mmCIF file of all heavy atoms in Angstrom:
data_model
loop_
_atom_site.group_PDB
_atom_site.id
_atom_site.type_symbol
_atom_site.label_atom_id
_atom_site.label_comp_id
_atom_site.label_asym_id
_atom_site.label_seq_id
_atom_site.Cartn_x
_atom_site.Cartn_y
_atom_site.Cartn_z
ATOM 1 N N THR N 124 85.443 98.497 103.733
ATOM 2 C CA THR N 124 85.497 97.966 105.087
ATOM 3 C C THR N 124 86.672 98.579 105.807
ATOM 4 O O THR N 124 87.758 98.706 105.222
ATOM 5 C CB THR N 124 85.659 96.447 105.051
ATOM 6 O OG1 THR N 124 84.661 95.846 104.285
ATOM 7 C CG2 THR N 124 85.566 95.861 106.493
ATOM 8 N N ALA N 125 86.469 98.937 107.077
ATOM 9 C CA ALA N 125 87.573 99.336 107.916
ATOM 10 C C ALA N 125 87.758 98.226 108.924
ATOM 11 O O ALA N 125 86.786 97.737 109.577
ATOM 12 C CB ALA N 125 87.263 100.647 108.631
ATOM 13 N N LEU N 126 89.032 97.811 109.117
ATOM 14 C CA LEU N 126 89.337 96.690 110.038
ATOM 15 C C LEU N 126 90.333 97.090 111.086
ATOM 16 O O LEU N 126 91.279 97.836 110.810
ATOM 17 C CB LEU N 126 89.919 95.517 109.230
ATOM 18 C CG LEU N 126 89.031 94.832 108.190
ATOM 19 C CD1 LEU N 126 89.852 93.837 107.386
ATOM 20 C CD2 LEU N 126 87.906 94.108 108.901
ATOM 21 N N HIS N 127 90.076 96.639 112.279
ATOM 22 C CA HIS N 127 91.028 96.829 113.372
ATOM 23 C C HIS N 127 91.233 95.493 114.046
ATOM 24 O O HIS N 127 90.269 94.869 114.531
ATOM 25 C CB HIS N 127 90.523 97.859 114.385
ATOM 26 C CG HIS N 127 91.368 97.901 115.669
ATOM 27 N ND1 HIS N 127 92.705 98.258 115.614
ATOM 28 C CD2 HIS N 127 91.052 97.656 116.932
ATOM 29 C CE1 HIS N 127 93.192 98.216 116.830
ATOM 30 N NE2 HIS N 127 92.221 97.863 117.664
ATOM 31 N N ALA N 128 92.450 95.001 114.036
ATOM 32 C CA ALA N 128 92.783 93.719 114.641
ATOM 33 C C ALA N 128 91.863 92.621 114.110
ATOM 34 O O ALA N 128 91.430 91.751 114.841
ATOM 35 C CB ALA N 128 92.712 93.818 116.158
ATOM 36 N N GLY N 129 91.571 92.675 112.819
ATOM 37 C CA GLY N 129 90.738 91.661 112.181
ATOM 38 C C GLY N 129 89.261 91.886 112.405
ATOM 39 O O GLY N 129 88.423 91.071 111.928
ATOM 40 N N ARG N 130 88.876 92.900 113.132
ATOM 41 C CA ARG N 130 87.461 93.156 113.436
ATOM 42 C C ARG N 130 86.970 94.289 112.537
ATOM 43 O O ARG N 130 87.576 95.351 112.427
ATOM 44 C CB ARG N 130 87.296 93.527 114.910
ATOM 45 C CG ARG N 130 85.863 93.879 115.326
ATOM 46 C CD ARG N 130 85.790 94.104 116.860
ATOM 47 N NE ARG N 130 86.596 95.260 117.211
ATOM 48 C CZ ARG N 130 86.109 96.517 117.251
ATOM 49 N NH1 ARG N 130 84.881 96.784 116.925
ATOM 50 N NH2 ARG N 130 86.917 97.534 117.615
ATOM 51 N N SER N 131 85.782 94.089 111.926
ATOM 52 C CA SER N 131 85.204 95.091 111.076
ATOM 53 C C SER N 131 84.596 96.191 111.914
ATOM 54 O O SER N 131 83.817 95.940 112.854
ATOM 55 C CB SER N 131 84.103 94.448 110.190
ATOM 56 O OG SER N 131 83.527 95.429 109.348
ATOM 57 N N LEU N 132 84.922 97.439 111.597
ATOM 58 C CA LEU N 132 84.400 98.568 112.355
ATOM 59 C C LEU N 132 83.029 98.950 111.833
ATOM 60 O O LEU N 132 82.704 98.755 110.688
ATOM 61 C CB LEU N 132 85.336 99.793 112.238
ATOM 62 C CG LEU N 132 86.781 99.584 112.698
ATOM 63 C CD1 LEU N 132 87.603 100.859 112.573
ATOM 64 C CD2 LEU N 132 86.797 99.068 114.154
ATOM 65 N N PRO N 133 82.146 99.485 112.718
ATOM 66 C CA PRO N 133 80.730 99.740 112.341
ATOM 67 C C PRO N 133 80.570 100.988 111.501
ATOM 68 O O PRO N 133 80.208 102.051 112.041
ATOM 69 C CB PRO N 133 80.059 99.831 113.693
ATOM 70 C CG PRO N 133 81.097 100.405 114.604
ATOM 71 C CD PRO N 133 82.417 99.827 114.161
ATOM 72 N N LEU N 134 80.767 100.902 110.243
ATOM 73 C CA LEU N 134 80.706 102.070 109.354
ATOM 74 C C LEU N 134 79.285 102.563 109.107
ATOM 75 O O LEU N 134 79.054 103.678 108.646
ATOM 76 C CB LEU N 134 81.410 101.797 108.039
ATOM 77 C CG LEU N 134 82.909 101.511 108.109
ATOM 78 C CD1 LEU N 134 83.449 101.221 106.723
ATOM 79 C CD2 LEU N 134 83.613 102.712 108.770
ATOM 80 N N GLY N 135 78.286 101.684 109.387
ATOM 81 C CA GLY N 135 76.923 102.130 109.259
ATOM 82 C C GLY N 135 76.258 101.738 107.942
ATOM 83 O O GLY N 135 76.864 100.994 107.144
ATOM 84 N N PRO N 136 75.083 102.245 107.654
ATOM 85 C CA PRO N 136 74.361 101.885 106.449
ATOM 86 C C PRO N 136 75.000 102.407 105.174
ATOM 87 O O PRO N 136 75.996 103.134 105.209
ATOM 88 C CB PRO N 136 72.978 102.511 106.678
ATOM 89 C CG PRO N 136 73.192 103.646 107.661
ATOM 90 C CD PRO N 136 74.354 103.206 108.534
ATOM 91 N N LEU N 137 74.399 102.088 104.067
ATOM 92 C CA LEU N 137 74.983 102.295 102.747
ATOM 93 C C LEU N 137 75.419 103.794 102.545
ATOM 94 O O LEU N 137 76.548 104.050 102.124
ATOM 95 C CB LEU N 137 74.018 101.879 101.668
ATOM 96 C CG LEU N 137 74.575 102.003 100.238
ATOM 97 C CD1 LEU N 137 75.680 100.996 100.019
ATOM 98 C CD2 LEU N 137 73.454 101.766 99.214
ATOM 99 N N ARG N 138 74.548 104.714 102.870
ATOM 100 C CA ARG N 138 74.866 106.079 102.555
ATOM 101 C C ARG N 138 75.992 106.631 103.459
ATOM 102 O O ARG N 138 76.802 107.471 103.018
ATOM 103 C CB ARG N 138 73.655 106.968 102.644
ATOM 104 C CG ARG N 138 73.803 108.325 101.976
ATOM 105 C CD ARG N 138 72.491 109.059 101.782
ATOM 106 N NE ARG N 138 71.807 108.734 100.538
ATOM 107 C CZ ARG N 138 70.549 108.376 100.413
ATOM 108 N NH1 ARG N 138 69.767 108.321 101.466
ATOM 109 N NH2 ARG N 138 70.038 108.133 99.233
ATOM 110 N N HIS N 139 76.145 106.074 104.649
ATOM 111 C CA HIS N 139 77.301 106.463 105.502
ATOM 112 C C HIS N 139 78.570 105.949 104.866
ATOM 113 O O HIS N 139 79.603 106.693 104.809
ATOM 114 C CB HIS N 139 77.106 105.857 106.894
ATOM 115 C CG HIS N 139 76.058 106.452 107.722
ATOM 116 N ND1 HIS N 139 76.036 106.285 109.107
ATOM 117 C CD2 HIS N 139 74.983 107.220 107.402
ATOM 118 C CE1 HIS N 139 74.959 106.957 109.579
ATOM 119 N NE2 HIS N 139 74.315 107.502 108.557
ATOM 120 N N ARG N 140 78.566 104.744 104.369
ATOM 121 C CA ARG N 140 79.762 104.179 103.700
ATOM 122 C C ARG N 140 80.048 104.904 102.369
ATOM 123 O O ARG N 140 81.160 105.063 101.992
ATOM 124 C CB ARG N 140 79.589 102.696 103.514
ATOM 125 C CG ARG N 140 79.784 101.896 104.762
ATOM 126 C CD ARG N 140 79.612 100.414 104.620
ATOM 127 N NE ARG N 140 78.205 100.056 104.586
ATOM 128 C CZ ARG N 140 77.616 99.326 103.647
ATOM 129 N NH1 ARG N 140 78.318 98.880 102.648
ATOM 130 N NH2 ARG N 140 76.338 99.063 103.735
ATOM 131 N N ALA N 141 78.946 105.341 101.709
ATOM 132 C CA ALA N 141 79.138 106.136 100.516
ATOM 133 C C ALA N 141 79.863 107.436 100.819
ATOM 134 O O ALA N 141 80.738 107.880 100.048
ATOM 135 C CB ALA N 141 77.780 106.387 99.827
#
Side-chain angles (χ1 to χ4, degrees):
T124 307
L126 295 172
H127 171 60
R130 179 175 62 90
S131 180
L132 302 182
L134 296 180
L137 183 67
R138 197 166 271 134
H139 288 199
R140 284 178 280 128

